[in-house]
Amino acid sequence: MEYRAFAAVHPRPDAGFAANIAVDGGFLTETETLAKLADESAERLRRAADSAEVTDRHEVGSPDAPALTQRVALSAVVGDARRDLVQSQVYLSLQDVVDPRKRAVVRLTLTATAAQHDAVLGEFQDFVRSVRPDSAAGA
């Protein structure tokens, strides 16, 4: 993936853990699919965490702008404490505005404790809905 940015979304940490959003992206190769990227992400979490399980996955969007969402429940040591975390991952596939043969993928990931997740999910969904390509002339 080509870039990464983080933004805290929950003003009060749950026992020292602040819910956060990670954003990264890149371009799909001809053999990659959103499902393959999501599978790879879940596998990386399985290797890094004590346990990780995909609890929900849906293909959404349209043929012109396909997307995939998945939720992963995981248990991992963060800092000095074991945490039960939930990741909501969204994969957005967007046509490149410069080269329409290319597809860019933006992955947005909310990571929160199990106790925080439902409280911050709506804000994350609002953020996801705001993501769109910049098609301004000269951009």
Side-chain angles (χ1 to χ4, degrees):
M1 297 294 177
E2 296 180 2
Y3 61 90
R4 173 159 269 184
F6 297 92
V9 296
H10 200 276
R12 292 186 207 100
D14 177 15
F17 185 87
N20 61 82
I21 296 173
V23 180
D24 62 326
F27 289 93
L28 286 175
T29 66
E30 294 203 12
T31 60
E32 288 179 311
T33 64
L34 296 179
K36 183 176 178 181
L37 291 176
D39 288 342
E40 290 169 355
S41 177
E43 185 56 36
R44 279 191 304 278
L45 286 172
R46 285 184 193 100
R47 287 192 305 268
D50 295 331
S51 67
E53 176 186 353
V54 175
T55 60
D56 191 42
R57 181 185 278 186
H58 298 283
E59 291 186 15
V60 295
S62 67
D64 291 337
L68 183 141
T69 65
Q70 78 175 5
R71 185 173 297 181
V72 181
L74 60 138
S75 177
V77 174
V78 179
D80 294 333
R82 177 164 314 287
R83 308 242 185 232
D84 291 327
L85 302 173
V86 178
Q87 276 197 354
S88 287
Q89 303 173 349
V90 178
Y91 296 81
L92 303 175
S93 177
L94 307 167
Q95 188 174 40
D96 186 300
V97 294
V98 175
D99 184 352
R101 295 169 295 163
K102 291 184 179 178
R103 300 239 20 123
V105 174
V106 178
R107 178 175 53 194
L108 305 106
T109 305
L110 167 66
T111 304
T113 65
Q116 292 169 319
H117 187 266
D118 290 347
V120 297
L121 182 60
E123 291 176 54
F124 176 64
Q125 291 168 331
D126 290 343
F127 176 68
V128 169
R129 282 190 283 276
S130 75
V131 176
R132 43 185 103 306
D134 181 1
S135 58

